[in-house]
Amino acid sequence: MNIRKAIFVVLFVCLYGLCVAQPKLIDQYATEKTELFYHNLCKSANEGIMFGHQDDLSYGIDWWAGKGNSDVKKVVDDYPAIFGWDLGGIHGERNLDSVSYNDMRSWIIDVYSMGGINTVSWHTYHPLNVISSWETEGEVYDILPGGKAHEAYKNQLNQVASFFESCKSGNTYVPIIFRPFHEHNGDWFWWGKGNCTEKEYIALWRFTIDYLKNEKKLHHLIYAFSPDRSRLDLDKGIETYLYGYPGDDYVDIIGLDNYWDLGHGANTMSREQQKKDFKKSIELIDLIAKQKNKISALTETGNDRQSITEWYTNSLLEPIKNNEFSTLSYLLVWRNADMDHFYVPYVGHKNQYDFKEFYNDDRMFFLEDLGNIYIEKSGN
Ligand code: BMA
């Protein structure tokens, strides 16, 4: 081969590598299953958007626990593709919404066996007051290395780590998307803007991830970062999103919690304007994810009590439906606590058929569409 041809071949290979480079997990020791899962997650983002529901198997309208129960299943005869859980109150036997950790663990393993995906958020209680994540008296600097409650925070992390460690199916650790310290650009949690500095928040995030990965040697976790849309200035774009961003080596999923543009009671914009803003917010996380060679997700959304008619097809799906080649991998609606607080329409609710139409849309993936995300698929 002559020298010019050799240079051409090398350049071609490098460029090709750059163009099709697969996103890489931040954990270089991630288990094989976790790598495979992430690979398939990235691939499926090009094909459609997975639907998720918080606490789907734990309770719903007029029922509590029970094997196989699900409000989503009742309406569309299929399960969500993504199942959300929360570790708030990890020191106790039940979480902040009364879900027992023993049940949660077995549901997480069931979800894995069904080929579904688990994502875990953490409404962390500050270790000095152990009241709730909304108790903003707790200081972040107290729990950082050198702080007076650092050991107490490590104890809490040990409990989180033991829970994750116990999420095993046979010998396989169940891959889990972990989403700690969410909505940090809002001021309602003790780790939020105004309650700690940006530097402290970043230090907290980094310490937490390093501790789970390097000290506790957990290698089946994928990390999602999720600011809240209501505190983003969409005209400033990337810059506002990156407030508190701990760095590309500390985040796998570029997430966003957006209730704001989907009919939030305090948003005074017209519904049409909100739909435009919603689209823009999704384009923003898509752009950031592309720049960083990661995937994006609408980590929380919803319309409480489903008060808006045709919310699923009109408010949620329509603005994001034609977003082809998007990195948006999933969206997750919040929990069905009771008749006064729910996000998935129950049987008999006015939006039940709208939810079914949403389910039938080609862009939306529920459990049956997934096949099994933990099994090798052909192609890139
Ligand atoms: C909030 C509400 C609360 C709940 C918390 C954690 O949005 O649903 O009732 O305790 O999330 O799930």
Side-chain angles (χ1 to χ4, degrees):
M1 195 187 291
N2 69 36
I3 187 86
R4 282 171 70 185
K5 202 167 167 195
I7 291 171
F8 175 77
V9 169
V10 169
L11 273 178
F12 179 79
V13 169
C14 292
L15 273 175
Y16 183 78
L18 274 179
C19 293
V20 297
Q22 285 294 317
K24 276 205 168 50
L25 286 173
I26 60 168
D27 184 355
Q28 56 166 320
Y29 300 113
T31 65
E32 233 173 87
K33 237 343 145 202
T34 310
E35 291 265 11
L36 179 59
F37 161 63
Y38 186 63
H39 173 79
N40 285 334
L41 193 65
C42 297
K43 246 180 63 186
S44 80
N46 293 323
E47 294 153 15
I49 308 162
M50 292 186 265
F51 175 78
H53 185 212
Q54 185 74 4
D55 285 346
D56 186 75
L57 303 173
S58 315
Y59 51 80
I61 305 295
D62 289 338
W63 61 272
W64 182 263
K67 193 100 178 144
N69 235 344
S70 151
D71 278 354
V72 169
K73 170 103 172 136
K74 282 182 191 187
V75 176
V76 298
D77 199 25
D78 194 356
Y79 289 104
I82 306 249
F83 295 75
W85 313 100
D86 196 279
L87 296 184
I90 188 69
H91 56 282
E93 279 177 14
R94 291 175 180 272
N95 81 353
L96 75 169
D97 297 319
S98 309
V99 178
S100 108
Y101 285 109
N102 283 335
D103 287 346
M104 196 189 292
R105 175 184 307 108
S106 57
W107 282 319
I108 285 178
I109 297 166
D110 284 352
V111 164
Y112 171 76
S113 310
M114 300 193 295
I117 296 169
N118 290 290
T119 175
V120 173
S121 49
W122 188 20
H123 280 82
T124 321
Y125 295 16
H126 192 285
L128 280 188
N129 57 45
V130 203
I131 298 174
S132 90
S133 52
W134 291 273
E135 177 46 68
T136 54
E137 289 297 301
E139 299 293 353
V140 167
Y141 58 71
D142 279 341
I143 66 173
L144 292 175
K148 66 177 178 209
H150 184 58
E151 287 308 311
Y153 179 56
K154 279 200 332 202
N155 284 339
Q156 227 178 348
L157 274 182
N158 291 342
Q159 289 163 341
V160 167
S162 314
F163 180 79
F164 283 141
E165 176 97 47
S166 71
C167 293
K168 259 180 127 175
S169 170
N171 289 328
T172 308
Y173 287 107
V174 173
I176 290 173
I177 298 169
F178 185 37
R179 187 170 67 92
F181 303 118
H182 61 302
E183 300 172 7
H184 62 285
N185 55 345
D187 57 3
W188 43 90
F189 296 132
W190 54 264
W191 58 84
K193 200 170 183 175
N195 300 321
C196 68
T197 66
E198 182 177 18
K199 224 170 140 192
E200 284 162 359
Y201 177 78
I202 291 176
L204 173 64
W205 181 284
R206 290 188 179 167
F207 174 80
T208 302
I209 275 65
D210 284 341
Y211 189 78
L212 294 175
K213 212 159 51 112
N214 307 336
E215 294 295 320
K216 304 310 286 184
K217 312 250 180 284
L218 296 179
H219 299 301
H220 57 299
L221 303 179
I222 291 179
Y223 298 94
F225 177 75
S226 57
D228 192 82
R229 151 67 183 117
S230 67
R231 301 300 162 93
L232 293 185
D233 180 348
L234 288 179
D235 293 331
K236 292 214 178 111
I238 297 182
E239 181 195 323
T240 37
Y241 181 90
L242 292 181
Y243 171 81
Y245 187 70
D248 294 348
D249 294 343
Y250 282 88
V251 171
D252 291 307
I253 297 181
I254 300 295
L256 181 68
D257 286 12
N258 192 349
Y259 294 91
W260 188 247
D261 297 319
L262 290 116
H264 191 286
N267 191 342
T268 52
M269 294 292 174
S270 69
R271 290 294 305 121
E272 280 317 302
Q273 185 57 45
Q274 289 187 32
K275 280 167 70 174
K276 282 188 193 146
D277 289 344
F278 173 44
K279 186 164 185 275
K280 211 165 159 187
S281 77
I282 295 301
E283 284 166 359
L284 175 67
I285 55 172
D286 186 34
L287 174 74
I288 297 173
K290 277 180 182 140
Q291 281 183 0
K292 296 184 174 303
N293 197 23
K294 298 185 189 288
I295 52 173
S296 60
L298 182 55
T299 36
E300 272 188 49
T301 186
N303 167 234
D304 202 359
R305 290 185 296 280
Q306 277 292 285
S307 55
I308 298 175
T309 308
E310 295 180 354
W311 183 82
Y312 273 95
T313 53
N314 190 277
S315 302
L316 179 60
L317 186 58
E318 199 209 283
I320 55 176
K321 186 180 156 85
N322 297 320
N323 199 359
E324 277 183 57
F325 311 112
S326 160
T327 59
L328 187 69
S329 52
Y330 67 90
L331 56 88
L332 178 129
V333 300
W334 209 238
R335 62 199 199 103
N336 274 20
D338 52 42
M339 293 292 265
D340 292 323
H341 186 41
F342 64 92
Y343 293 87
V344 167
Y346 49 84
V347 177
H349 187 278
K350 66 169 180 190
N351 279 351
Q352 149 185 17
Y353 299 105
D354 178 62
F355 186 55
K356 183 92 193 186
E357 202 179 318
F358 170 81
Y359 168 78
N360 285 328
D361 194 280
D362 289 347
R363 285 290 289 165
M364 291 312 306
F365 293 163
F366 282 62
L367 189 67
E368 275 176 19
D369 304 305
L370 275 195
N372 190 327
I373 196 125
Y374 304 100
I375 293 175
E376 187 86 57
K377 289 188 183 154
S378 56
N380 287 320

